[in-house]
Amino acid sequence: MIVPMKKVSLIIMGEKKAETLKKLRKLGMVHIEITEGSGERLNELKEQIALLESAVYIVGNKKAKDEKDLLPTDALNLAKEIAYLTDEKKDYQAEQITIQAEIERLKSWGDFDPHSLVDLTHKGVDISVYEMPKNEYDALGDNVKTVRLGGNKNSVKCILIKSGTDGEDEILSSLNTYKFELPQMSTEEMKQKLLEIGEKIKAIDEKLLSYESYTIALKNAIKAFEKEIEFEVYATGMGNETLSDDKNLSVAYFKGYIEADNIEKLQTVAKTDSWGLLIEDPTEEDDVPTKLKNNKFVSLIYPLTDFLGAVPGYFEYDISGWFLAFILIFFGIIFGDGGYGLFICAVASIPIIKSLVTKKEVSPTFLLVGLLGLSTVLWGTLTCTWFGLSADQIPLWLQNLSIPVISNVYADRIWHPFWTEGDVGLTTAQNLQIFCFSLALIQLTIAHIKGVKRNIKSLKLLGDVGSILQLFGIYYLVLSLVVNPQVFSFSLVISGIPVGTVAIALIGIGFLLSFVFSNYEGNIIKSILASLTNIVSVLLGVVNVFSDIVSYIRLWAVGLAGAAIAATVNELAGPLLGNFLFMIIAIVLLVFGHGLNMILNVLSVIVHGIRLNTLEFSSHLDMSWSGHKFKPFNEQID
């Protein structure tokens, strides 16, 4: 069920905002509706969280064996140290790259030592180092004194000694582009410097590695600062009004939501602390948060809906129980193989048993996975589908547990309904299709029954009654057009009842009721006019009912595809199992093939199985999943 909420508006003196928020946080019952805050403190907290998140990323996100605890402030100081060490490491790495590039530049000069040239300069010898094309060097002539250091057929490395001869300055000026920039250190010094930097980087890495045991502490600090941000957002995001001409006298106010059962507790606190409190019933214009409350079994669906981010709106339906029931059925049909179901159960049982042994609460996620596995085992048993094996390879006792009309054991048999004659009948595949369409009829009918129940005091319920009649009529139409037009003929008469004629009548009567009453809000004329205004959508609605029912055939089709893949994998691996040398290849092929098939089945459940709940079923409920979770302002750190 969706927990009933009350809208509350709270008015307090402006100077008591922080004090009031602390009391509300301790109370932990009110979902405060404030969209944004501002201020330097808020920006500072965001920067601190960014610093902590960066620290977690740097030291690693894995849980260490010897986790250590820290206060949030100490964790922040640690994050600052980690940031400092990281910046220092980056500086060293940049210096490393620079020196390595310099060594590469000097590579062709051998062990270059610039200090010897500097010494000559101090002694009054004006020299410059050049690397120039050989033809330029040969053209220097005797006016320039040079010492050739090396070279090849294309270039020359040399030292030019300035002697002050006529024209020397002009020649040297023309050679500026070939002048060699002297390094700050010798090649040997640079290599030694690289070793020193390497040791410093290694020391920083070891230091950062030692902080892995603080990962959880850093994450907890992030959560603590997020709570502070929440507090600051509420404190700075509150509405504020100045009273009369006294700018120091003001009131603050905000709107929020609280569970109806907790109203008395809030009223008691408000009375004690002299808060102004207005309590109202929420309207459809309000952005009311949603809190779901169900028994432990139905609550097993929450891990899946949380993963999907699917939250019903406050004024929508809580379909958690139906969602769980149908996803179990859909999952079993899509996976289809009892062997796969056993594997899923085995995987889920490991953490469940571990939790029971350690006397910890069993995670709902693993319980849900276990249920999905059991559903698959059940469907595999009913259809005699095990590990992609053919029916004749399955033990007789398992064959006997299956239901004949949908069992693979009788896949080639024709089933004759009591009203058919001669060779007219249904195949096992067609029986499975009928089962899928029957699931559609049941689930979509449930949707409109919920609509009837909601509108029980209004003629609008006749609109949902009309939709139910259309569903039954179109269901027979689908059986006739998609499954078998001979078995489900429109001329069919059973016990004097013209089934086809009744189906057409149900569609017509259902359409008329929906047309007249689906938009009813107290006035039939206005309801009819609303339908006439949207006549195209109304007519397409009938087509949509047909397509929604047909859509459920995807369960059979995807299950059939998975079974075909499993059988193909077995066929490929089967011949290899008879040869010892190829047995390893066969095992690898079986594991890979069936593993890939299971992954594809998981994707199929997400794409198809969940779609039937959140789209087809939900559209008939007029649900848009537009809600957001009820999150009371409290001290608890998630």
Side-chain angles (χ1 to χ4, degrees):
M1 61 171 284
I2 294 177
V3 177
M5 293 283 168
K6 291 289 185 180
K7 180 170 69 173
V8 295
S9 300
L10 198 65
I11 303 174
I12 56 175
M13 298 305 297
E15 69 273 10
K16 292 188 176 181
K17 282 198 295 186
E19 177 188 337
T20 302
L21 284 172
K22 288 177 182 178
K23 289 184 178 180
L24 282 173
R25 183 166 65 179
K26 188 174 182 180
L27 189 64
M29 293 180 178
V30 182
H31 175 109
I32 301 177
E33 188 181 90
I34 294 177
T35 55
E36 59 183 43
S38 60
E40 293 182 7
R41 174 59 180 162
L42 191 58
N43 294 331
E44 181 185 346
L45 287 168
K46 290 179 179 179
E47 290 173 2
Q48 289 171 342
I49 285 181
L51 187 63
L52 287 162
E53 289 175 339
S54 176
V56 170
Y57 176 78
I58 292 166
V59 301
N61 209 16
K62 295 181 180 179
K63 187 175 180 180
K65 293 181 179 179
D66 56 338
E67 283 292 339
K68 299 176 182 177
D69 198 14
L70 287 175
L71 293 172
T73 51
D74 294 333
L76 182 61
N77 290 331
L78 177 62
K80 290 177 181 178
E81 183 178 351
I82 291 171
Y84 172 79
L85 289 172
T86 303
D87 290 340
E88 190 177 23
K89 178 182 175 180
K90 288 179 181 178
D91 291 339
Y92 283 134
Q93 288 174 330
E95 189 177 357
Q96 233 180 3
I97 293 170
T98 301
I99 294 174
Q100 287 170 343
E102 190 70 351
I103 290 175
E104 186 64 27
R105 186 174 74 91
L106 297 171
K107 191 174 181 180
S108 62
W109 290 79
D111 293 332
F112 196 95
D113 186 1
H115 302 305
S116 58
L117 299 178
V118 173
D119 290 342
L120 288 173
T121 303
H122 290 162
K123 293 177 181 179
V125 181
D126 193 353
I127 61 175
S128 301
V129 181
Y130 292 85
E131 183 176 9
M132 64 182 71
K134 188 173 182 304
N135 59 338
E136 293 279 356
Y137 179 77
D138 294 338
L140 291 176
D142 298 333
N143 289 336
V144 181
K145 294 182 179 181
T146 64
V147 177
R148 181 168 176 159
L149 301 177
N152 52 40
K153 62 180 181 179
N154 296 318
S155 64
V156 174
K157 296 178 177 64
C158 63
I159 295 176
L160 271 64
I161 305 170
K162 192 172 182 180
S163 59
T165 57
D166 293 339
E168 185 182 51
D169 289 339
E170 289 77 4
I171 294 172
L172 294 177
S173 178
S174 67
L175 297 175
N176 278 340
T177 55
Y178 305 122
K179 193 170 183 180
F180 184 76
E181 183 180 349
L182 296 178
Q184 299 296 317
M185 296 180 286
S186 67
T187 304
E188 189 61 34
E189 287 173 329
M190 283 189 278
K191 290 178 179 179
Q192 183 61 37
K193 186 70 173 177
L194 282 179
L195 291 175
E196 293 174 2
I197 292 174
E199 289 298 320
K200 290 177 180 178
I201 291 176
K202 182 180 178 182
I204 291 174
D205 286 336
E206 290 175 352
K207 187 70 173 175
L208 291 175
L209 189 62
S210 69
Y211 291 146
E212 280 189 346
S213 57
Y214 293 101
T215 301
I216 300 299
L218 290 168
K219 289 181 178 179
N220 289 337
I222 291 173
K223 293 177 181 178
F225 279 103
E226 284 175 344
K227 295 298 290 185
E228 288 301 311
I229 282 184
E230 182 184 40
F231 185 92
E232 195 65 26
V233 165
Y234 292 155
T236 57
M238 277 191 191
N240 204 74
E241 292 290 341
T242 302
L243 297 178
S244 65
D245 296 329
D246 188 351
K247 294 183 179 180
N248 295 321
L249 187 62
S250 64
V251 294
Y253 54 90
F254 67 85
K255 182 174 70 173
Y257 300 91
I258 186 171
E259 295 175 54
D261 291 343
N262 292 329
I263 279 294
E264 289 185 9
K265 295 179 183 178
L266 180 62
Q267 286 176 320
T268 301
V269 176
K271 186 176 181 180
T272 302
D273 292 280
S274 301
W275 298 342
L277 179 63
L278 175 64
I279 302 170
E280 302 173 280
D281 289 323
T283 65
E284 293 191 9
E285 286 72 33
D286 294 316
D287 188 19
V288 190
T290 303
K291 181 178 181 180
L292 302 178
K293 185 178 181 180
N294 290 291
N295 59 50
K296 289 185 178 180
F297 179 75
V298 173
S299 299
L300 293 179
I301 196 62
Y302 293 166
L304 179 57
T305 53
D306 288 345
F307 170 75
L308 297 172
V311 180
Y314 178 75
F315 293 100
E316 295 181 340
Y317 298 98
D318 175 18
I319 60 169
S320 300
W322 295 113
F323 199 125
L324 177 62
F326 283 103
I327 198 64
L328 287 174
I329 298 172
F330 299 159
F331 189 96
I333 297 174
I334 289 173
F335 264 74
D337 194 299
Y340 289 178
L342 289 175
F343 176 78
I344 294 170
C345 289
V347 170
S349 66
I350 296 173
I352 292 174
I353 294 171
K354 185 179 178 181
S355 297
L356 293 174
V357 170
T358 56
K359 296 182 179 179
K360 294 181 179 179
E361 185 179 356
V362 180
S363 170
T365 301
F366 298 125
L367 291 174
L368 176 61
V369 172
L371 274 178
L372 294 171
L374 288 174
S375 171
T376 308
V377 171
L378 177 60
W379 184 256
T381 302
L382 298 179
T383 59
C384 198
T385 308
W386 297 92
F387 298 105
L389 299 172
S390 59
D392 57 356
Q393 294 175 304
I394 297 172
L396 184 60
W397 66 273
L398 275 177
Q399 294 183 31
N400 293 335
L401 289 175
S402 64
I403 296 179
V405 293
I406 58 172
S407 173
N408 289 322
V409 178
Y410 307 97
D412 298 326
R413 181 172 171 178
I414 299 296
W415 301 91
H416 302 280
F418 69 88
W419 65 82
T420 58
E421 297 178 357
D423 296 330
V424 177
L426 298 167
T427 65
T428 300
Q430 288 173 334
N431 287 332
L432 287 168
Q433 292 173 17
I434 293 170
F435 180 80
C436 292
F437 294 142
S438 298
L439 279 177
L441 178 65
I442 293 168
Q443 189 175 30
L444 301 182
T445 300
I446 288 170
H448 290 289
I449 289 174
K450 292 179 78 68
V452 170
K453 185 178 178 181
R454 169 168 283 191
N455 299 309
I456 195 66
K457 296 181 180 180
S458 169
L459 288 177
K460 191 171 184 178
L461 69 84
L462 293 176
D464 283 295
V465 170
S467 296
I468 293 173
L469 296 179
Q470 286 186 77
L471 278 170
F472 277 84
I474 292 174
Y475 170 74
Y476 187 81
L477 176 65
V478 170
L479 296 183
S480 178
L481 297 179
V482 179
V483 180
N484 192 317
Q486 291 178 295
V487 175
F488 301 102
S489 169
F490 274 92
S491 61
L492 176 64
V493 177
I494 301 177
S495 300
I497 300 174
V499 179
T501 303
V502 170
I504 294 173
L506 289 176
I507 295 173
I509 296 170
F511 175 78
L512 182 62
L513 288 173
S514 295
F515 184 85
V516 175
F517 295 104
S518 60
N519 297 301
Y520 181 79
E521 295 294 342
N523 188 306
I524 292 180
I525 302 299
K526 288 183 178 180
S527 178
I528 294 173
L529 289 174
S531 295
L532 285 172
T533 304
N534 300 293
I535 187 64
V536 175
S537 298
V538 172
L539 293 173
L540 286 176
V542 180
V543 179
N544 287 338
V545 173
F546 180 88
S547 64
D548 286 345
I549 294 176
V550 171
S551 183
Y552 281 69
I553 202 173
R554 68 182 68 232
L555 298 171
W556 168 76
V558 174
L560 185 64
I565 293 173
T568 301
V569 171
N570 290 343
E571 288 178 8
L572 293 173
L576 300 176
L577 290 172
N579 189 317
F580 181 77
L581 295 176
F582 292 104
M583 187 171 292
I584 295 177
I585 297 175
I587 293 172
V588 171
L589 180 58
L590 286 170
V591 171
F592 175 77
H594 287 291
L596 179 61
N597 195 22
M598 291 186 73
I599 292 172
L600 292 174
N601 283 340
V602 170
L603 295 176
S604 296
V605 170
I606 295 173
V607 173
H608 302 293
I610 291 175
R611 170 203 162 101
L612 293 176
N613 273 311
T614 57
L615 186 60
E616 276 81 357
F617 183 42
S618 297
S619 66
H620 283 257
L621 287 164
D622 288 329
M623 280 185 64
S624 60
W625 297 94
S626 58
H628 58 98
K629 279 190 173 184
F630 175 73
K631 294 181 179 179
F633 182 44
N634 56 38
E635 295 178 330
Q636 182 180 351
I637 297 177
D638 299 328

